[in-house]
């Protein structure tokens, strides 16, 4: 909280202010991630500027495509991210499927990465395709508690070396070691079995996905870790 107050003071001195829901710059942060005002530092999968479907409103990232409409596509950072902590809040519309990918890289023409899965769930699920799962590999544990559709939930991704953690509403729900025998076995038994070294790259881009439906992100807090 002290760090945030210092930032607010500095911004006030130069005539700026934090937008509601904007990026909070924690100590060690990387401003290339998201500036809270526009998509500087972000591109489409084809490397083009973000101009359709996605928007920044009052500091919030919004995928405004309605369910059933044609997808506008994922967006991703131009910068590479290695060890980091990313906190965020999100809400979505009924039936929406989305997620945040990290350690994203090109696998022979396919852009893939580890994913913090986000789904609209009418009933809390605990499988590897449910909210807060490490998509297709690790399900969330029994500490998972969701809030109703339309309410903001709190998530956190921590990536440091070979360790990945997913947090949901203040609870640690996924805690894994990348490259372990368990990891390799799960990858071999997943849709990523033909992607050599999947998720083992120490750095990569961060991606917001468009899998169907409308989603909002706010209070994005990014911190680079040693």
């Amino acid at each position: 909280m002290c760090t945030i107050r210092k930032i607010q003071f500095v911004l006030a001195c130069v005539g700026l202010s934090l937008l509601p829901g904007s990026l909070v710059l924690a100590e060690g942060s990387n401003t290339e991630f998201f500036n809270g005002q526009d998509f500087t530092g972000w591109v489409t999968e084809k490397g083009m500027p973000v101009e359709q479907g996605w928007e920044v409103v009052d500091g919030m990232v919004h995928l405004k495509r309605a369910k059933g409409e044609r997808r506008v596509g994922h967006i991703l950072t131009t910068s590479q991210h290695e060890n980091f902590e990313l906190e965020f809040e999100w809400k979505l519309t009924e039936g929406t499927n989305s997620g945040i990918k990290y350690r994203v890289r090109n696998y022979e023409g396919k852009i893939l990465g580890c994913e913090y899965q986000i789904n609209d769930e009418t009933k809390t699920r605990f499988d590897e395709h449910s909210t807060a799962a490490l998509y297709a590999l690790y399900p969330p544990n029994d500490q998972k508690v969701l809030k109703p559709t339309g309410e903001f939930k709190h998530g956190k991704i921590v990536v440091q070396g070979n360790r990945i953690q997913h947090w949901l509403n203040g609870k640690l729900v996924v805690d894994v070691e990348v490259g372990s025998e368990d990891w390799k076995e799960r990858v071999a038994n997943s849709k990523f079995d033909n992607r050599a070294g999947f998720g083992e790259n120490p750095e990569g881009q961060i991606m917001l996905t468009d899998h169907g439906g409308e989603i909002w992100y706010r209070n994005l807090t990014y911190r680079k870790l040693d």
Side-chain angles (χ1 to χ4, degrees):
M1 183 60 70
C2 180
T3 301
I4 295 173
R5 286 173 179 165
K6 288 180 180 178
I7 294 167
Q8 289 174 325
F9 174 77
V10 172
L11 290 173
C13 288
V14 297
L16 298 174
S17 61
L18 285 174
L19 294 171
S22 64
L23 172 69
V24 176
L25 301 177
E27 183 177 354
S29 64
N30 183 346
T31 56
E32 292 181 352
F33 177 68
F34 176 59
N35 64 19
Q37 300 178 15
D38 57 35
F39 288 113
T40 299
W42 290 78
V43 293
T44 67
E45 290 180 275
K46 295 182 179 181
M48 303 299 291
V50 180
E51 296 177 339
Q52 295 183 341
W54 296 86
E55 62 180 357
V56 179
V57 180
D58 293 333
M60 291 189 291
V61 175
H62 178 214
L63 174 58
K64 58 184 178 180
R65 182 180 64 79
K67 183 181 177 182
E69 291 182 353
R70 184 176 180 179
R71 294 181 183 178
V72 297
H74 313 317
I75 60 173
L76 59 163
T77 60
T78 56
S79 55
Q80 301 285 319
H81 301 268
E82 188 171 358
N83 297 322
F84 65 90
E85 178 181 280
L86 175 62
E87 292 191 61
F88 52 96
E89 292 180 299
W90 85 91
K91 71 174 181 178
L92 36 65
T93 53
E94 184 177 352
T96 294
N97 171 22
S98 191
I100 298 179
K101 293 187 180 183
Y102 50 94
R103 289 192 170 180
V104 172
R105 51 163 287 204
N106 192 312
Y107 292 84
E108 299 179 346
K110 190 73 172 177
I111 301 176
L112 300 170
C114 301
E115 181 174 5
Y116 185 109
Q117 178 67 36
I118 296 173
N119 271 325
D120 173 45
E121 298 173 19
T122 55
K123 181 178 179 181
T124 303
R125 293 163 38 203
F126 296 90
D127 60 64
E128 63 271 19
H129 297 91
S130 64
T131 294
L134 202 169
Y135 173 73
L137 298 177
Y138 287 87
N141 61 32
D142 60 6
Q143 295 298 300
K144 172 181 175 178
V145 177
L146 272 179
K147 297 178 182 178
T149 300
E151 290 188 18
F152 276 99
K153 295 89 171 169
H154 182 271
K156 180 167 70 172
I157 301 167
V158 181
V159 177
Q160 190 162 31
N162 291 330
R163 189 176 187 185
I164 289 177
Q165 294 180 337
H166 287 183
W167 295 72
L168 175 64
N169 295 323
K171 301 292 185 180
L172 177 61
V173 295
V174 172
D175 191 355
V176 305
E177 180 183 355
V178 178
S180 66
E181 289 304 312
D182 183 56
W183 174 274
K184 292 178 180 179
E185 182 178 349
R186 287 172 183 266
V187 171
N189 292 321
S190 74
K191 62 187 291 184
F192 307 118
D193 64 326
N194 61 344
R195 310 295 182 183
F198 177 79
E200 296 184 34
N201 46 303
E203 66 176 16
Q205 294 160 284
I206 294 176
M207 173 189 285
L208 303 182
T209 66
D210 171 17
H211 288 308
E214 194 170 12
I215 187 166
W216 292 259
Y217 293 100
R218 73 178 186 185
N219 294 331
L220 294 157
T221 307
Y222 178 93
R223 183 165 65 96
K224 182 183 290 186
L225 303 177
D226 295 331

